[in-house]
């Protein structure tokens, strides 16, 4: 592979000419002083060196989309803050047009699109580069439409002072994305598959399936009640197309790989991956402590300096919600594959003990290591937990370990056992889960997500993760197909797709959608529908993959799920402005309205 993306480093400054354009306004003015060599864009980009540099920059731009969490996870049913942290503006739906996270997302998406447009202008002599650019441009617009709805659709490379780009209708944007992707879906200049971070024909079709699914919801359904999440289906053309294409992507490939193996650090590039953003620590020319990403530190509640206490350092704003802890039933292998349910005490040997002992010690070695935190799911009885404490007294003895030893039982009434120095039971706390999250019970009240763990990281904080970020993968497409079949009226095929995903996880098979009875608590008026079954399966399979907000907005369930499951949202009014307009989309950034002469305050999305 020629472009593990981080290796670009100093190349960007050589390229010049708007490759890192922010927003839709021209960047020629502020980049001109950097163009000291007076290299003409066309002359440079037509060279092999220029083409390769442009290609790397184009791919690199996807990283800002892949690592964004604030717009993709906050304010949903799956995540809540713990240890006194706040849900923030995103989680509480108090964001404004000046919000920096919203502005950055918008600007980064258009920078990605402009880089692709640059390749489409200057890279026409290499057909593969053109096909890749069409895919990347479509991905940028897919992310924009899912967050902002109608946006300016631009196909030319911005290198002038032009500032008048009006919003384009959603129907036109979807058709343009579909046209672009269909034009390269069978392009033999792209490989059939690729596991090194490049666009493949399979990736094109996977994205096309998702675009068609989104188009079906946005163009062929009408919301009837935000609080109830009800809608009418006015057509199924796009849903049928999404299902057909998703089936083509699946191509008969069965989900036979264990879920744990699918996400194992040593198994990157496995045959279930369809498209991933590539990272590489080895050979990175800069500071490896800041050159990667922080996805491994996003979900959980652990704190502290990892080399002092052996913990994986995480934030606490995206801890599992009360709904989340009940998603996985007994026997579902995805629970242990998603979360680190046991961490070990720390005696000064980083990576050999503490959190990352899981990756560097064998199961036999871990069976005798000192435990720091152990988490039990809701279906394990307190009697079973207390027997575990008695049977593992030697492992639970703190000795001179750096961490307080605690045993956690996560349920609506959560129980925490503190353990004495000698490994026997000390105090027991039982609290409502929401109070338990806010309580002062140490810095590891919930288990951390391990899907993105990089066990080779020298110190787990800052941007030290170099795991590839998988954006499209096989089981995701199974569930895309399930949703598309359901919306096109083929419930039996939708259930077949759901059961295929459940079978791999050893979850109980469903004879019908009506068989599904969730273990989490709901209000008496919250009736489980077939769509809820699909969304719950997406929650289990895709937990922590930066998809949830988009999934709920797309399916018209964003308000319904937040009111029911998000503790900081109690009514539709909490997600609306003073005029009662629901914030179904993000605000068009104020900076865009100020600088783009074809957009005014009147064009702002409802709710803002």
């Amino acid at each position: 592979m020629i472009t593990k993306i981080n290796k670009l480093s100093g190349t960007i400054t050589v390229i010049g000419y708007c490759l890192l354009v922010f927003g839709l306004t021209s960047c020629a003015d502020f980049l001109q002083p950097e163009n000291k060599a007076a290299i003409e864009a066309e002359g440079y980009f037509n060279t092999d060196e220029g083409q390769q540099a442009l290609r790397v920059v184009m791919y690199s731009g996807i990283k800002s989309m892949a690592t964004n969490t604030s717009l993709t996870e906050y304010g949903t049913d799956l995540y809540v803050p713990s240890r006194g942290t706040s849900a923030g503006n995103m989680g509480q739906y108090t964001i404004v047009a000046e919000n920096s996270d919203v502005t950055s997302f918008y600007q980064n998406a258009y920078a990605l699109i402009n880089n692709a447009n640059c390749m489409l202008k200057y890279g026409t002599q290499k057909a593969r580069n053109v096909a890749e650019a069409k895919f990347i441009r479509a991905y940028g617009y897919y992310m924009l439409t899912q967050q902002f709805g109608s946006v300016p659709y631009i196909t030319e490379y911005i290198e002038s002072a032009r500032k008048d780009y009006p919003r384009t209708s959603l129907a036109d944007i979807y058709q343009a994305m579909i046209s672009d992707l269909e034009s390269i879906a069978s392009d033999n200049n792209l490989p059939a598959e690729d596991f090194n971070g490049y666009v493949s024909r399979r990736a094109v079709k996977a994205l096309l399936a998702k675009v068609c699914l989104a188009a079906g919801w946005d163009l062929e359904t009408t919301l009837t009640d935000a609080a109830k999440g009800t809608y009418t289906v006015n057509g199924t053309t796009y849903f049928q197309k999404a299902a057909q294409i998703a089936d083509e992507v699946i191509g008969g490939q069965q989900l036979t790989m264990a879920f744990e193996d699918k996400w194992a650090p040593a198994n990157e590039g496995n045959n279930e991956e369809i498209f991933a953003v590539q990272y590489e620590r080895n050979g990175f020319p800069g500071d490896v402590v800041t050159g990667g990403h922080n996805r491994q530190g996003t979900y959980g509640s652990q704190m502290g300096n990892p080399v002092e206490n052996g913990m994986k350092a995480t934030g606490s704003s995206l801890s599992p919600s009360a709904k989340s802890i009940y998603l996985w039933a007994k026997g579902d292998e995805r629970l242990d594959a998603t979360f680190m349910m046991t961490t070990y005490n720390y005696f000064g040997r980083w990576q050999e003990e503490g959190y990352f002992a899981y990756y560097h010690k064998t199961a036999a070695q871990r069976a005798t290591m000192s435990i720091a935190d152990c988490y039990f799911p809701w279906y394990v009885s307190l009697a079973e937990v207390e027997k575990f404490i008695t049977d593992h007294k030697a492992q639970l003895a703190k000795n001179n370990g750096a961490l307080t030893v605690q045993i956690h039982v996560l349920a609506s009434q959560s129980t925490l056992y503190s353990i004495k120095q000698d490994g026997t039971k000390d105090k027991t706390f039982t609290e409502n889960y929401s109070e338990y999250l806010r309580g002062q019970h140490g810095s590891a009240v919930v288990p951390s997500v391990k899907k993105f763990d990089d066990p080779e990281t020298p110190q787990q904080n800052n941007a030290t993760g170099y795991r590839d970020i998988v954006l499209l993968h096989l089981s995701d497409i199974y569930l895309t197909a399930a949703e598309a079949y359901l919306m096109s009226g083929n419930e039996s095929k939708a259930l077949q797709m759901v059961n295929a995903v459940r079978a791999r996880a050893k979850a109980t098979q469903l004879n019908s959608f009506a068989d599904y009875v969730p273990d989490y608590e709901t209000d008496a008026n919250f009736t489980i529908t077939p769509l809820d079954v699909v969304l719950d399966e997406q929650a289990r399979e895709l937990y922590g993959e930066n998809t949830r907000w988009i999934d709920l907005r797309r399916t018209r369930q964003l308000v319904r799920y937040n009111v029911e499951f998000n503790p900081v949202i109690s009514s539709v009014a909490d997600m609306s402005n003073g005029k009662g307009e629901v914030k179904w989309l993000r605000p068009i950034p104020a900076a865009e309205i100020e600088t783009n002469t074809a957009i005014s305050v009147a064009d702002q999305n409802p709710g803002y």
Side-chain angles (χ1 to χ4, degrees):
M1 177 178 180
I2 52 179
T3 57
K4 279 283 189 174
I5 290 173
N6 279 351
K7 291 183 178 180
L8 181 64
S9 193
T11 309
I12 293 176
T13 56
V14 177
I15 297 177
Y17 287 102
C18 305
L19 289 181
L20 298 182
V21 61
F22 294 110
L24 303 187
T25 57
S26 171
C27 63
D29 292 341
F30 68 77
L31 278 188
Q32 189 61 36
E34 298 299 319
N35 189 24
K36 297 177 181 180
I39 303 174
E40 290 296 330
E42 183 172 4
Y44 179 67
F45 291 140
N46 282 332
T47 66
D48 289 341
E49 177 190 4
Q51 285 281 294
Q52 175 60 9
L54 176 55
R55 188 179 185 217
V56 174
V57 173
M58 184 175 67
Y59 273 100
S60 181
I62 305 174
K63 291 162 63 176
S64 64
M65 303 285 100
T67 55
N68 182 288
T69 299
S70 60
L71 272 71
T72 54
E73 301 285 46
Y74 284 78
T76 69
D77 59 324
L78 300 184
Y79 313 102
V80 293
S82 61
R83 291 189 300 103
T85 57
S86 169
N89 293 330
M90 289 294 173
Q92 299 177 74
Y93 289 85
T94 56
I95 56 176
V96 295
E98 292 79 12
N99 182 276
S100 59
D101 289 333
V102 170
T103 302
S104 294
F105 187 97
Y106 190 89
Q107 292 175 339
N108 288 336
Y110 273 108
L112 177 71
I113 289 165
N114 203 45
N115 293 340
N117 284 337
C118 185
M119 179 65 83
L120 289 168
K121 178 176 181 177
Y122 293 112
T124 54
Q125 67 272 37
K126 293 190 177 181
R128 180 172 178 175
N129 291 357
V130 170
E132 291 172 339
K134 286 185 176 182
F135 173 92
I136 290 171
R137 182 171 68 184
Y139 177 77
Y141 278 116
Y142 172 72
M143 295 301 289
L144 280 171
T145 55
Q146 300 315 291
Q147 295 284 348
F148 299 95
S150 168
V151 292
Y153 186 77
I154 302 168
T155 58
E156 74 267 20
Y157 174 46
I158 301 175
E159 52 186 337
S160 70
R162 181 184 169 188
K163 300 180 181 180
D164 57 328
Y165 296 95
R167 296 180 77 173
T168 306
S169 74
L170 264 180
D172 287 345
I173 299 175
Y174 275 123
Q175 189 51 53
M177 285 190 286
I178 291 170
S179 177
D180 262 355
L181 293 170
E182 286 182 334
S183 73
I184 57 174
S186 301
D187 190 335
N188 288 327
N189 292 293
L190 295 174
E193 291 184 294
D194 182 272
F195 304 103
N196 295 305
Y198 289 124
V199 177
S200 67
R201 298 196 297 276
R202 194 181 198 190
V204 171
K205 285 192 173 183
L207 180 57
L208 179 58
K210 285 183 166 290
V211 169
C212 289
L213 179 64
W217 280 103
D218 283 338
L219 304 180
E220 295 184 326
T221 69
T222 303
L223 178 72
T224 57
D225 190 313
K228 295 178 181 179
T230 55
Y231 51 86
T232 58
V233 179
N234 309 313
T236 60
T237 302
Y238 286 110
F239 292 126
Q240 291 180 38
K241 187 168 187 173
Q244 173 197 335
I245 296 167
D247 260 341
E248 292 175 9
V249 175
I250 293 168
Q253 184 178 351
Q254 303 297 304
L255 298 171
T256 56
M257 185 186 304
F259 197 76
E260 177 86 24
D261 293 340
K262 173 174 180 168
W263 291 103
N267 201 25
E268 288 188 323
N270 62 69
N271 68 359
E272 283 198 20
E273 291 186 11
I274 296 174
F275 183 70
V277 179
Q278 300 282 299
Y279 286 82
E280 185 178 11
R281 173 182 286 105
N282 296 333
F284 180 70
D287 183 356
V288 295
V289 176
T290 60
H293 58 78
N294 193 35
R295 285 292 298 278
Q296 67 178 333
T298 302
Y299 306 85
S301 65
Q302 298 182 357
M303 288 186 65
N305 186 324
V307 295
E308 291 180 2
N309 61 19
M311 279 187 171
K312 168 184 174 179
T314 69
S316 298
S317 295
L318 291 172
S319 296
S321 67
K323 174 182 177 177
S324 288
I325 61 174
Y326 282 92
L327 278 174
W328 293 270
K330 186 175 183 179
D332 192 324
E333 294 180 348
R334 288 171 295 189
L335 176 65
D336 285 328
T338 300
F339 296 97
M340 184 74 76
M341 300 297 280
T342 301
T343 58
Y344 299 88
N345 222 316
Y346 189 61
F347 302 92
R349 292 178 288 272
W350 173 240
Q351 292 186 319
E352 295 182 33
E353 300 161 339
Y355 183 92
F356 284 104
Y358 175 81
Y359 299 104
H360 293 282
K361 297 294 182 180
T362 65
Q365 290 172 322
R366 294 196 303 273
T368 60
M369 289 179 65
S370 295
I371 292 172
D373 285 279
C374 191
Y375 304 89
F376 288 93
W378 61 273
Y379 49 77
V380 178
S381 71
L382 295 186
E384 290 174 299
V385 175
E386 293 189 10
K387 184 178 187 302
F388 172 87
I389 294 172
T390 300
D391 293 348
H392 292 80
K393 175 183 175 181
Q395 278 188 278
L396 296 174
K398 183 177 185 298
N399 298 314
N400 64 337
L403 299 171
T404 300
V405 181
Q406 296 182 321
I407 306 298
H408 314 255
V409 184
L410 304 179
S412 57
Q413 289 294 310
S414 294
T415 301
L416 182 145
Y417 296 91
S418 63
I419 305 299
K420 293 180 181 179
Q421 189 82 11
D422 65 356
T424 60
K425 184 175 66 174
D426 188 8
K427 298 178 182 179
T428 303
F429 303 90
T430 299
E431 295 175 322
N432 177 276
Y433 182 67
S434 61
E435 296 300 321
Y436 164 79
L437 288 177
R438 288 194 291 268
Q440 300 302 311
H441 300 309
S443 62
V445 292
V446 293
S448 294
V449 171
K450 65 182 183 181
K451 273 186 175 180
F452 320 107
D453 281 349
D454 181 356
E456 304 306 319
T457 186
Q459 178 174 331
Q460 202 287 303
N461 55 17
N462 298 321
T464 56
Y466 286 81
R467 288 287 302 279
D468 297 344
I469 300 177
V470 182
L471 298 183
L472 298 168
H473 57 86
L474 185 62
S475 57
D476 180 18
I477 301 303
Y478 264 85
L479 293 172
T480 298
E483 187 180 324
Y485 275 118
L486 179 66
M487 294 305 296
S488 61
N490 191 340
E491 284 199 12
S492 62
K493 188 68 173 179
L495 185 65
Q496 178 185 330
M497 292 295 178
V498 168
N499 274 331
V501 173
R502 292 175 64 84
R504 185 255 291 278
K506 306 295 192 294
T508 304
Q509 293 289 282
L510 303 173
N511 293 318
S512 70
F513 281 110
D515 278 354
Y516 179 73
V517 180
D519 294 298
Y520 53 78
E521 296 178 359
T522 62
D523 184 87
N525 296 322
F526 192 94
T527 302
I528 299 296
T529 69
L531 178 61
D532 294 323
V533 180
V534 174
L535 285 169
D536 277 3
E537 213 55 54
Q538 290 173 345
R540 297 181 190 95
E541 192 76 12
L542 309 178
Y543 192 90
E545 293 184 41
N546 283 11
T547 66
R548 194 57 174 181
W549 192 91
I550 289 176
D551 289 341
L552 296 186
R553 184 216 66 85
R554 179 186 67 248
T555 57
R556 314 285 193 175
Q557 304 308 304
L558 185 64
V559 175
R560 175 176 175 243
Y561 273 41
N562 270 288
V563 172
E564 182 71 18
F565 302 113
N566 189 335
V568 302
I569 302 295
S570 59
S571 69
V572 180
D574 291 338
M575 298 177 64
S576 307
N577 65 2
K579 296 187 293 183
E581 297 173 330
V582 177
K583 299 175 182 178
W584 282 104
L585 296 165
R586 309 305 190 180
I588 300 297
E592 178 62 14
I593 293 175
E594 291 169 3
T595 56
N596 187 344
T597 60
I599 294 179
S600 69
V601 174
D603 294 307
Q604 184 57 274
N605 282 327
Y608 305 98

